[in-house]
Amino acid sequence: MQLKPVTRKSLSDAVFEQLSSEIVHGRMMPGAPLPSERTLCDLLRVNRGAVREALKRLSQAGLIIIQHGGGAKVLDYKQSGNLDLLTRLLFRSDGTIDLQVARSAMEMRAAMAPDIARLCARRRQPEHIHQIFELVAAMAARPDDLPALQILALQFWDVLVEGSGNIAYQLVFNSLREAYERLRELLVEVLGSELRDLGSYRAIAEAVQRQDDLSAAAVAKALMEQGSTAIFQLIAAIEDDNTEGE
């Protein structure tokens, strides 16, 4: 293991960060016993309260199981984890991006967006219509400002997912957005075609306004495909470069 003495203010957070990193990056394998609380206290130079709180969070995240008698065992997070792990998995321990995780996040984004638009068109309230048209107008006012368009597009989807009335989509969207925020500056140029497609954002807004769920879904699907195609091409190019460099 590669544990280091903790110096951060929030001791339990720091313990959780280190142990979760060890698990999700494969340095602590499924089925392996976790060191005892006393050993962890000695290794990390923290008190037992901080270790216990971190272990509780690891258990809630599906990374470990705390057994009777106080011992803990590492779980296979792919079988027991939840979406809270997505952002953590996105970056390897050396800080590089895990391309498979990035691809998975984009595939989920593309799959969810059409249904979010469809449900919003069915269930939207007057305030949602007002908000999305305001956002479309703001995008139209800054057609060449990609960073601004990126933020406005995120706000646009914030409104759609709220208008969908689907709490499961809202929670998944929160996790995807957290992961996306970590990559936002890197993706702004890659997503340029999608972000500049004001016609599609306006068409979605108009479909939501008239409660045309099929049109809202179809336009959202086509819009997502623009960004997804660009990102998948970039990932493939990076993978090819990495293969050639081996």
Side-chain angles (χ1 to χ4, degrees), residues 209-244:
Q209 182 180 41
R210 64 178 185 268
Q211 294 191 298
D212 184 348
D213 57 344
L214 296 180
S215 292
V219 178
K221 179 180 179 181
L223 180 63
M224 290 296 103
E225 285 178 352
Q226 290 188 59
S228 296
T229 298
I231 288 177
F232 294 155
Q233 289 174 346
L234 175 62
I235 290 174
I238 295 172
E239 289 175 335
D240 288 343
D241 287 344
N242 291 343
T243 301
E244 292 174 1

Coordinates of all heavy atoms in Angstrom, one line a residue, residues 209-244:
Q209 N -42.2 23.2 -24.8 CA -43.3 24.2 -24.6 C -44.7 23.6 -25.2 O -45.7 23.7 -24.5 CB -43.0 25.4 -25.4 CG -44.1 26.5 -25.2 CD -43.7 27.8 -26.0 OE1 -43.2 27.7 -27.1 NE2 -43.9 28.9 -25.4
R210 N -44.6 22.9 -26.3 CA -45.9 22.4 -26.8 C -46.2 20.9 -26.4 O -47.1 20.3 -26.9 CB -45.9 22.5 -28.4 CG -44.8 21.7 -29.1 CD -44.9 21.8 -30.6 NE -44.0 20.9 -31.3 CZ -42.8 21.3 -31.7 NH1 -42.3 22.5 -31.4 NH2 -42.0 20.4 -32.3
Q211 N -45.3 20.4 -25.5 CA -45.5 19.1 -24.9 C -45.4 18.0 -26.0 O -46.0 17.0 -25.9 CB -46.8 19.0 -24.2 CG -46.8 19.8 -22.9 CD -48.0 19.5 -22.0 OE1 -49.2 19.6 -22.4 NE2 -47.7 19.1 -20.8
D212 N -44.5 18.2 -26.9 CA -44.2 17.2 -28.0 C -43.0 16.4 -27.5 O -41.9 16.7 -27.8 CB -43.9 18.0 -29.3 CG -43.7 17.0 -30.5 OD1 -43.6 15.8 -30.2 OD2 -43.6 17.5 -31.6
D213 N -43.3 15.3 -26.8 CA -42.3 14.6 -26.2 C -41.4 13.8 -27.2 O -40.2 13.7 -27.0 CB -42.8 13.6 -25.1 CG -43.9 12.6 -25.7 OD1 -44.4 12.9 -26.8 OD2 -44.2 11.6 -25.0
L214 N -42.0 13.3 -28.3 CA -41.3 12.6 -29.3 C -40.2 13.5 -30.0 O -39.1 13.1 -30.2 CB -42.2 11.9 -30.3 CG -43.1 10.9 -29.7 CD1 -44.0 10.3 -30.8 CD2 -42.3 9.7 -29.0
S215 N -40.6 14.7 -30.3 CA -39.7 15.6 -31.0 C -38.6 16.0 -30.0 O -37.4 16.1 -30.4 CB -40.5 16.9 -31.5 OG -41.3 16.5 -32.5
A216 N -39.0 16.3 -28.8 CA -38.0 16.7 -27.8 C -36.9 15.6 -27.7 O -35.7 15.9 -27.6 CB -38.6 17.0 -26.4
A217 N -37.3 14.3 -27.6 CA -36.4 13.2 -27.5 C -35.5 13.1 -28.7 O -34.3 12.9 -28.6 CB -37.1 11.9 -27.2
A218 N -36.1 13.2 -29.9 CA -35.4 13.0 -31.1 C -34.3 14.1 -31.3 O -33.2 13.8 -31.7 CB -36.4 13.0 -32.3
V219 N -34.7 15.3 -31.0 CA -33.7 16.4 -31.2 C -32.6 16.3 -30.2 O -31.4 16.5 -30.5 CB -34.4 17.8 -31.1 CG1 -33.3 18.9 -31.2 CG2 -35.4 18.0 -32.2
A220 N -33.0 15.9 -28.9 CA -31.9 15.7 -27.9 C -31.0 14.6 -28.2 O -29.8 14.7 -28.0 CB -32.6 15.5 -26.5
K221 N -31.5 13.5 -28.8 CA -30.6 12.4 -29.2 C -29.6 12.9 -30.3 O -28.4 12.6 -30.2 CB -31.5 11.3 -29.7 CG -30.7 10.1 -30.2 CD -31.5 9.0 -30.7 CE -30.7 7.8 -31.2 NZ -31.6 6.7 -31.7
A222 N -30.1 13.6 -31.3 CA -29.2 14.1 -32.3 C -28.2 15.1 -31.8 O -27.0 15.0 -32.2 CB -30.0 14.7 -33.4
L223 N -28.6 15.9 -30.9 CA -27.7 16.9 -30.3 C -26.6 16.2 -29.5 O -25.4 16.5 -29.7 CB -28.4 17.8 -29.4 CG -27.6 18.9 -28.7 CD1 -27.0 19.9 -29.7 CD2 -28.5 19.7 -27.7
M224 N -26.9 15.2 -28.7 CA -25.9 14.4 -27.9 C -25.0 13.7 -28.8 O -23.8 13.5 -28.5 CB -26.6 13.5 -27.0 CG -27.4 14.1 -25.8 SD -26.3 15.0 -24.7 CE -26.6 16.7 -25.2
E225 N -25.5 13.2 -29.9 CA -24.6 12.4 -30.9 C -23.5 13.3 -31.4 O -22.4 12.7 -31.7 CB -25.5 11.8 -32.0 CG -26.3 10.6 -31.5 CD -27.2 10.0 -32.6 OE1 -27.3 10.7 -33.7 OE2 -27.8 9.0 -32.4
Q226 N -23.8 14.5 -31.6 CA -22.7 15.4 -32.1 C -21.5 15.4 -31.1 O -20.4 15.2 -31.5 CB -23.2 16.9 -32.2 CG -24.2 17.1 -33.4 CD -24.5 18.5 -33.5 OE1 -23.6 19.4 -33.8 NE2 -25.8 18.9 -33.4
G227 N -21.8 15.7 -29.9 CA -20.7 15.7 -28.9 C -20.1 14.4 -28.6 O -18.9 14.2 -28.5
S228 N -21.0 13.3 -28.6 CA -20.5 12.0 -28.3 C -19.5 11.5 -29.4 O -18.5 10.9 -29.2 CB -21.6 11.0 -28.2 OG -22.4 11.3 -27.1
T229 N -19.9 11.8 -30.7 CA -19.1 11.4 -31.8 C -17.7 12.0 -31.7 O -16.7 11.4 -31.9 CB -19.7 11.7 -33.1 OG1 -21.0 11.0 -33.2 CG2 -18.8 11.4 -34.3
A230 N -17.7 13.3 -31.4 CA -16.4 14.0 -31.3 C -15.5 13.5 -30.2 O -14.3 13.3 -30.3 CB -16.7 15.5 -31.1
I231 N -16.1 13.2 -29.1 CA -15.4 12.7 -27.9 C -14.9 11.3 -28.1 O -13.7 11.0 -27.8 CB -16.2 12.8 -26.6 CG1 -16.3 14.3 -26.2 CG2 -15.6 12.0 -25.5 CD1 -17.2 14.6 -25.0
F232 N -15.7 10.4 -28.7 CA -15.3 9.1 -29.0 C -14.2 9.0 -30.0 O -13.2 8.2 -29.9 CB -16.5 8.2 -29.5 CG -17.6 8.1 -28.5 CD1 -18.9 7.8 -28.9 CD2 -17.3 8.1 -27.1 CE1 -19.9 7.6 -28.0 CE2 -18.3 8.0 -26.2 CZ -19.6 7.7 -26.6
Q233 N -14.2 9.9 -31.0 CA -13.1 10.0 -31.9 C -11.8 10.5 -31.2 O -10.7 9.9 -31.5 CB -13.4 11.0 -33.0 CG -14.5 10.5 -34.0 CD -14.9 11.5 -35.0 OE1 -14.6 12.7 -34.9 NE2 -15.6 11.1 -36.1
L234 N -11.9 11.4 -30.3 CA -10.7 11.9 -29.5 C -10.2 10.7 -28.7 O -9.0 10.5 -28.7 CB -11.1 13.0 -28.7 CG -10.0 13.6 -27.7 CD1 -8.8 14.1 -28.5 CD2 -10.6 14.7 -26.8
I235 N -11.1 10.0 -28.0 CA -10.6 8.9 -27.2 C -9.9 7.8 -28.0 O -8.9 7.3 -27.6 CB -11.8 8.3 -26.4 CG1 -12.3 9.3 -25.3 CG2 -11.4 7.0 -25.7 CD1 -13.5 8.8 -24.6
A236 N -10.5 7.5 -29.2 CA -9.9 6.5 -30.0 C -8.5 7.0 -30.5 O -7.6 6.2 -30.6 CB -10.8 6.3 -31.3
A237 N -8.4 8.2 -30.8 CA -7.1 8.8 -31.3 C -6.0 8.7 -30.2 O -4.9 8.3 -30.4 CB -7.2 10.2 -31.7
I238 N -6.4 9.0 -28.9 CA -5.5 8.9 -27.8 C -5.1 7.5 -27.5 O -3.9 7.2 -27.3 CB -6.2 9.5 -26.5 CG1 -6.4 11.0 -26.7 CG2 -5.3 9.3 -25.3 CD1 -7.2 11.6 -25.6
E239 N -6.1 6.6 -27.6 CA -5.8 5.1 -27.4 C -4.8 4.6 -28.5 O -3.9 3.9 -28.2 CB -7.1 4.3 -27.4 CG -7.9 4.5 -26.2 CD -9.2 3.8 -26.3 OE1 -9.7 3.5 -27.4 OE2 -9.8 3.5 -25.2
D240 N -5.0 5.1 -29.8 CA -4.1 4.7 -30.8 C -2.7 5.2 -30.6 O -1.7 4.5 -30.8 CB -4.6 5.2 -32.2 CG -5.8 4.5 -32.7 OD1 -6.1 3.4 -32.2 OD2 -6.5 5.0 -33.6
D241 N -2.6 6.5 -30.1 CA -1.3 7.0 -29.8 C -0.6 6.3 -28.7 O 0.6 6.0 -28.7 CB -1.4 8.5 -29.4 CG -1.7 9.4 -30.6 OD1 -1.5 9.0 -31.7 OD2 -2.2 10.5 -30.3
N242 N -1.4 5.9 -27.6 CA -0.8 5.2 -26.5 C -0.3 3.8 -27.0 O 0.7 3.3 -26.5 CB -1.9 5.0 -25.4 CG -2.2 6.3 -24.7 OD1 -1.4 7.3 -24.8 ND2 -3.3 6.4 -24.0
T243 N -1.1 3.2 -27.9 CA -0.7 1.8 -28.4 C 0.6 1.9 -29.2 O 1.5 1.1 -29.0 CB -1.8 1.2 -29.3 OG1 -3.0 1.1 -28.5 CG2 -1.4 -0.1 -29.8
E244 N 0.7 3.0 -30.0 CA 1.9 3.1 -30.8 C 3.1 3.4 -30.0 O 4.3 3.1 -30.3 CB 1.7 4.3 -31.8 CG 0.7 3.9 -32.9 CD 0.4 5.1 -33.8 OE1 1.0 6.2 -33.6 OE2 -0.4 5.0 -34.7

